[in-house]
Amino acid sequence: MQNRPTLSASDGGALDSAERVFGRRMRLLQAAMWLFAFAIFFASPVLQMSDSKYSMLTAESIVHNHTPDLSRYTIKNYDADLPFNEIRGKHPYQLERIRGRLLYGFPHGTSILSIPFIALMDLFQVSPATSDGQFDLKGEVITQKLLAALLMASLVVIIFRTALLLLDWRWSAIVAAAAGLGTQVWSTASRGMWSHTWAITLAGLVVYLLLASEVRGTSVRPIMLATILSWMFFVRPTAAGPIICVSAYVLIFHRRAFLAYRSEEH
């Protein structure tokens, strides 16, 4: 159980005051946890950006050109005769030419969900493209590393809040630290904007919504749940497995909410 104040209801204002103090301390703890995780993830030197390369350039193109077509940018070493995903020399295997358009060949969900962040970074003149349309590897690296660290730090807090539904804050902090520093969250997902970086962040929200519904006896929030699951598939199609499982769970245990869930998912 959580270490919440145990005053009786008859204590009235004292109970409300103690709850407010506890809530404020939890918010401060979560903020400190986020900042600590973000600092570790962003400062870690290893970068893994192979498949995710050009995903931020795609977001940049959507922001400024309203299209994922990268033909307007100069990308060195691209060989149109080589097929997508064929690694040969310095050829950017992540790109493919389709009906005259040069596209990032992996799912575009990561790029689309990253649009607000890319637009914000543009205000600080940090971009994966130069003003004359050249692909800027340094800008791609900075935006990917910064956004990945931001998302994974947020996931650590989501895990903490999820654990807090069942455990006290100390054990919840241990669970969050173990998940953030002892799994692929640190070694892979925070090292670049791989498709699973957004996917596991969204999955963390799904787990929180489902567990919160069970613990608190409240609605499963079907519209929000279905929206998040839809984005999970859009970002990483292999999320179809978890989506099927969650859909079956909602159908079996939350039948009244299933109609809204199903309509939103479609």
Side-chain angles (χ1 to χ4, degrees), residues 97-172:
R97 182 75 66 176
I98 300 178
R99 297 179 181 176
R101 299 190 301 170
L102 183 61
L103 301 173
Y104 176 61
F106 294 98
H108 287 184
T110 291
S111 301
I112 293 174
L113 284 179
S114 303
I115 284 174
F117 177 78
I118 292 298
L120 177 63
M121 294 301 291
D122 281 344
L123 297 178
F124 296 94
Q125 298 184 342
V126 177
S127 169
T130 62
S131 58
D132 61 349
Q134 299 278 340
F135 170 64
D136 185 353
L137 178 59
K138 182 179 179 180
E140 179 86 14
V141 168
I142 292 174
T143 51
Q144 286 208 27
K145 189 173 183 179
L146 186 58
L147 181 54
L150 186 154
L151 288 174
M152 290 303 95
S154 300
L155 178 60
V156 169
V157 174
I158 292 171
I159 293 171
F160 172 75
R161 289 182 60 86
T162 302
L164 204 59
L165 293 168
L166 299 174
L167 306 171
D168 64 37
W169 69 268
R170 295 179 182 85
W171 276 108
S172 298

Side-chain angles (χ1 to χ4, degrees), residues 158-266:
I158 292 171
I159 293 171
F160 172 75
R161 289 182 60 86
T162 302
L164 204 59
L165 293 168
L166 299 174
L167 306 171
D168 64 37
W169 69 268
R170 295 179 182 85
W171 276 108
S172 298
I174 292 172
V175 169
L181 304 178
T183 69
Q184 292 88 342
V185 167
W186 187 7
S187 62
T188 305
S190 69
R191 302 300 82 222
M193 285 307 299
W194 294 71
S195 59
H196 64 263
T197 301
W198 265 113
I200 62 175
T201 304
L202 296 170
L205 290 173
V206 168
V207 173
Y208 175 79
L209 288 175
L210 293 176
L211 186 59
S213 172
E214 291 298 323
V215 171
R216 298 169 179 168
T218 57
S219 168
V220 76
R221 306 180 75 173
I223 294 177
M224 179 181 294
L225 183 62
T227 300
I228 295 173
L229 289 169
S230 298
W231 275 111
M232 282 179 60
F233 181 79
F234 190 38
V235 168
R236 191 173 176 86
T238 52
I243 291 172
I244 292 172
C245 293
V246 172
S247 299
Y249 170 82
V250 174
L251 175 62
I252 296 171
F253 296 102
H254 298 273
R255 291 187 180 180
R256 293 183 179 179
F258 186 74
L259 182 60
Y261 168 86
R262 183 176 181 274
S263 62
E264 183 65 21
E265 194 173 42
H266 284 75

